[in-house]
Amino acid sequence: MVDREVIEVGGAAGTLRVLCWSESGARDTGRPIALLLHGFPDAPDTWEPMARRLAADGWRVAAPYLRGYAPSDLASDGSYHVGALMDDALRVVDALGTTDRDVVIGHDWGAIIAGVLASLPDNPFRKAVLMSVPPIPVFYPIRGLGVRRSLLALLPAQLLRSWYIMFFQLPKLPERSARQVIPFLWRRWSVRRDVDLTPVYDAIGAPDRWTAAISYYRCAARDKTVPARYRAYQDRFGQPPQIPVLYLHGDRDGALGAGFADRARVVLPEGSSVHVVADAGHFLQFDKPEETIGKITGFVGDAR
């Protein structure tokens, strides 16, 4: 029987609350960890069907509310840089007790974090799954891909899709936009219309939580302000993964064009795979849960 519990893990800048699913307890080190990292605007609750399937396959599933997302603490050091988010993720698996079979699965911002974690030469994960945002080197110039897959061909449409990133750099105005932006992005990015956004509002609907969520984008544009304790992790940003990666992307993703999935094939290491999910939007685990779960469980395997 799969049980769900919430545990607390001390981070460098506050306490993280972590949703856990397992058949034998979150701290049973006889079973490997599947670390699930959510994106924006989202919350760990979206992982529920996938988490229960993975737990039934023997995994200890852990899905933290990323720093700033209630009920995790706001970052006491004000850092929402990728390096800080990587530090939090590693503290979670360390607290649960790592094994030599752990995997990391990330969506959207979680995929960015997971992709950079996968680039660490001494990272604790055996495999990584990235969803809807490919490894960062995909966004750099790559020779030999042809005109159709070149950045020049993909960027104009992508700049229109990414309007919200520029909007979040503005002072004050974005802070008043949560109730407009959250449902608007879900309508534009997902192919489903039956979403209950209550968990998202609970996580980032309050003014201070919304500021934290959009600070991810602000900190991404202000790399030089990262605290020294996260610098070594931050410096891996832009490096390719060192472990096998499954990359999944919806062909109707309204946030990031599916053309970037083709570029991902070039930067992933041996043992990796790329799959474009038909009739799926940005939130793959919500839009097409059965196909997404099937691809992921086929890649990471049974943990028994």
Side-chain angles (χ1 to χ4, degrees):
M1 178 178 175
V2 173
D3 293 322
R4 170 172 158 164
E5 60 183 310
V6 179
I7 67 168
E8 294 187 351
V9 173
T15 300
L16 301 165
R17 274 76 185 186
V18 186
L19 288 181
C20 296
W21 297 259
S22 66
E23 292 184 327
S24 58
R27 301 183 190 275
D28 176 10
T29 55
R31 299 191 181 209
I33 298 166
L35 180 67
L36 310 185
L37 302 173
H38 69 81
F40 169 88
D42 206 354
D45 305 74
T46 312
W47 291 120
E48 183 84 26
M50 183 183 301
R52 290 193 172 276
R53 169 64 184 278
L54 289 168
D57 286 346
W59 296 91
R60 285 183 292 151
V61 183
Y65 290 85
L66 300 183
R67 62 167 58 192
Y69 283 66
S72 287
D73 287 349
L74 296 166
S76 61
D77 57 10
S79 177
Y80 296 96
H81 298 87
V82 170
L85 303 170
M86 293 168 66
D87 186 80
D88 287 347
L90 292 172
R91 287 173 187 267
V92 171
V93 293
D94 284 346
L96 294 177
T98 58
T99 74
D100 60 358
R101 295 190 294 152
D102 302 330
V103 299
V104 59
I105 301 170
H107 171 254
D108 187 79
W109 265 102
I112 295 173
I113 302 163
V116 187
L117 283 170
S119 80
L120 295 174
D122 57 349
N123 83 80
F125 303 107
R126 179 174 59 90
K127 290 182 176 180
V129 178
L130 312 184
M131 300 162 58
S132 304
V133 180
I136 298 303
V138 165
F139 301 100
Y140 299 159
I142 302 173
R143 291 185 177 182
L145 290 180
V147 174
R148 184 178 62 85
R149 293 187 293 173
S150 70
L151 283 178
L152 287 176
L154 297 174
L155 279 181
Q158 187 55 48
L159 288 173
L160 292 175
R161 290 189 178 99
S162 299
W163 64 269
Y164 62 98
I165 298 177
M166 282 74 85
F167 173 65
F168 290 156
Q169 306 306 318
L170 298 175
K172 298 183 179 180
L173 180 60
E175 267 75 1
R176 299 191 292 270
S177 67
R179 290 287 167 173
Q180 294 76 40
V181 170
I182 290 173
F184 179 80
L185 293 182
W186 270 88
R187 286 195 302 270
R188 292 294 299 269
W189 292 359
S190 176
V191 298
R192 290 175 58 177
R193 294 295 175 264
D194 58 339
V195 59
D196 178 7
L197 292 175
T198 301
V200 181
Y201 289 127
D202 288 345
I204 56 174
D208 56 347
R209 300 298 182 156
W210 179 244
T211 297
I214 63 180
S215 290
Y216 284 48
Y217 296 93
R218 290 169 173 172
C219 285
R222 300 162 192 171
D223 176 80
K224 292 182 180 179
T225 66
V226 63
R229 68 174 59 161
Y230 311 127
R231 187 77 253 178
Y233 293 145
Q234 188 76 19
D235 286 345
R236 296 298 303 179
F237 192 79
Q239 297 299 311
Q242 309 262 320
I243 57 176
V245 171
L246 170 65
Y247 181 63
L248 300 176
H249 200 109
D251 70 345
R252 293 170 60 187
D253 191 324
L256 188 72
F260 286 94
D262 281 339
R263 296 173 61 84
R265 303 178 197 275
V266 182
V267 305
L268 296 179
E270 184 177 352
S272 298
S273 179
V274 175
H275 182 73
V276 176
V277 181
D279 300 318
H282 186 67
F283 300 95
L284 291 166
Q285 67 274 39
F286 177 76
D287 287 348
K288 298 282 282 192
E290 291 304 318
E291 183 172 353
T292 301
I293 292 169
K295 290 292 181 183
I296 290 173
T297 55
F299 181 70
V300 302
D302 196 295
R304 299 186 204 282

